Amino acid sequence: MRNVGRAEWTKLRTDASNGWLLLGAVALTLAIGAAVAMTSRCDAVACGEDATRLSLTGVMVGQVVVAIVAVLMVGNEYSTGMMQTTVAAVPRRLTVLLSKAAVLSAVILVVGAVGVFGSLLIGGMVTPGRGFTEAHGYEAMSLANSTTLRAAVGSVLYLVLIGLLSLGLALIVRSSATAIGIVLGLLFFFPILTQVITDPDWQRLLQQIAPMTAGLSIQTTIGVDRLPIGPWEGLGVVALWATGALTVGGAVLRARDV
């Protein structure tokens, strides 16, 4: 397993495009989070804005880049025929799946942590000047605050789960373009559909099962009781999506001739 993991890491890091994509994920997460923090304002007590969530807005864009890296990890092997070499060298295909998942998770953990904690650092410096002060009912943004820490750790885990979901879908369809289209559809179609449907019960249900809507509830630090699903429960929904995709992807990998 260790040798297979080392091989997967070598394949991932020697593809220059992956490095640029991961760097882009961090840059976009930081830049968008900073831009939103710098343009938001709280001019009155209990203005209703969530400073922590605003600072983490970039995660919504960073997840797209993470999904692309995860898909290409499998899609490139199928498009180049490298997957045949991989399974020939490692006949136990479950080992291949677990190694890819482990390496991908480790890389996204590092990249996600840099983007998320960097965004909170910037937000902590910027938001007090935008009215998010104790006078308006806001504590200083700090990881010593349990809700801020939950939002930070949960956001990193969310990115990892989106990566694993994307990896599983890529194994199922064996096409980078198709897998990316499906992932983006899952992430952004549900929120759009929620805006179209007018029935509040159906809206709430869609928000509870949508990977992005449910998962990003982990970032909420105020008004948690008004969420359609709790922060950790929402992250659990994304975990179920990722587990389902990896389970089916693993079964397809074992059943198909490469």
Side-chain angles (χ1 to χ4, degrees), residues 6-153:
R6 188 178 296 114
E8 292 297 334
W9 165 239
T10 300
K11 285 187 284 187
L12 184 66
R13 68 181 175 81
T14 53
D15 187 338
S17 63
N18 288 328
W20 286 109
L21 284 169
L22 292 170
L23 182 62
V26 173
L28 284 170
T29 301
L30 293 172
I32 293 174
V36 172
M38 287 188 291
T39 55
S40 299
R41 286 203 62 84
C42 180
D43 295 322
V45 176
C47 61
E49 296 288 356
D50 189 330
T52 299
R53 185 158 191 165
L54 289 171
S55 299
L56 293 173
T57 304
V59 171
M60 190 179 299
V61 178
Q63 68 178 337
V64 175
V65 185
V66 164
I68 292 172
V69 171
V71 166
L72 294 179
M73 190 176 187
V74 171
N76 284 347
E77 287 202 54
Y78 277 115
S79 64
T80 61
M82 176 64 75
M83 187 61 78
Q84 293 180 333
T85 304
T86 298
V87 297
V90 188
R92 297 185 63 180
R93 300 189 181 189
L94 180 59
T95 302
V96 174
L97 172 62
L98 293 176
S99 298
K100 288 183 180 295
V103 170
L104 180 67
S105 297
V107 170
I108 297 176
L109 272 174
V110 175
V111 171
V114 173
V116 167
F117 289 101
S119 294
L120 289 177
L121 178 62
I122 295 171
M125 293 186 295
V126 170
T127 52
R130 306 298 297 174
F132 295 92
T133 61
E134 290 186 5
H136 290 163
Y138 289 89
E139 297 181 10
M141 195 181 301
S142 169
L143 293 178
N145 184 306
S146 60
T147 54
T148 302
L149 181 61
R150 182 253 294 156
V153 173

Side-chain angles (χ1 to χ4, degrees), residues 169-231:
L169 289 172
L171 285 168
I172 295 171
V173 301
R174 300 194 295 183
S175 165
S176 296
T178 303
I180 291 171
I182 294 173
V183 172
L184 295 182
L186 282 174
L187 293 177
F188 295 102
F189 174 72
F190 280 106
I192 294 173
L193 187 60
T194 302
Q195 299 301 315
V196 174
I197 293 176
T198 56
D199 186 276
D201 293 330
W202 277 103
Q203 284 182 339
R204 186 177 183 85
L205 176 61
L206 288 172
Q207 291 170 339
Q208 290 172 335
I209 65 174
M212 185 170 71
T213 306
L216 290 181
S217 65
I218 195 70
Q219 297 179 343
T220 303
T221 61
I222 63 173
V224 174
D225 57 325
R226 298 192 297 273
L227 291 172
I229 189 169

